[in-house]
Amino acid sequence: METTALEQVGLTKNQALIYVALLKLGEASAQQIMNESGLHRSRVYDSLEHLEKQGIVSSVIQDFKKYFQAIKPEKLLEYLEEKKEALRQALPALQQIEGMKKEEIEGSIYKGKEG
């Protein structure tokens, strides 16, 4: 599957591959995700950690083994809407900071005898 759309909304290539792999697998262990995505173990664990922090992937421990599951694609859209709303609320403060620009400094460089 093409992961470009997921990358355009802020996921890395590895995170997008893992999300798609989890959609295919349902609930899966890290080993199963590695096999499905073709990514190295360390990349899978790093990406899973970031996806869990973002709320895109959840995990559960069963029989002393950790299993991961991706949120539904519809929920991913809601997640993005929440991010958009958070940015919309922060926008006035950001614009106020922008308005506090320091005075711009002008300078000229002369070459030759006049310099």
Side-chain angles (χ1 to χ4, degrees), residues 23-89:
L23 286 177
K24 290 178 186 176
L25 297 170
E27 191 173 79
S29 67
Q31 183 64 45
Q32 291 169 314
I33 297 167
M34 285 182 256
N35 294 339
E36 180 67 32
S37 67
L39 295 172
H40 187 270
R41 180 179 190 269
S42 63
R43 304 251 185 230
V44 169
Y45 278 107
D46 287 344
S47 295
L48 283 170
E49 182 179 332
H50 287 281
L51 289 169
E52 274 192 290
K53 286 180 183 176
Q54 293 172 331
I56 297 172
V57 168
S58 61
S59 65
V60 64
I61 298 176
Q62 296 175 349
D63 299 325
F64 304 103
K65 194 170 185 179
K66 197 169 188 178
Y67 291 90
F68 300 91
Q69 187 170 10
I71 61 172
K72 294 181 180 186
E74 302 84 33
K75 292 284 185 184
L76 187 59
L77 192 57
E78 289 176 19
Y79 166 78
L80 292 172
E81 289 295 328
E82 289 173 9
K83 292 282 189 183
K84 186 177 176 180
E85 183 58 34
L87 183 57
R88 187 175 286 126
Q89 289 177 3

Side-chain angles (χ1 to χ4, degrees), residues 99-112:
M100 297 174 7
K101 285 184 185 176
K102 292 186 178 179
E103 185 178 315
E104 292 188 26
I105 300 172
E106 272 189 45
S108 300
I109 298 175
Y110 296 98
K111 292 184 179 182

Side-chain angles (χ1 to χ4, degrees), residues 11-27:
L11 296 183
T12 66
K13 178 81 170 170
N14 292 344
Q15 291 170 348
L17 287 170
I18 289 170
Y19 179 76
V20 171
L22 279 170
L23 286 177
K24 290 178 186 176
L25 297 170
E27 191 173 79

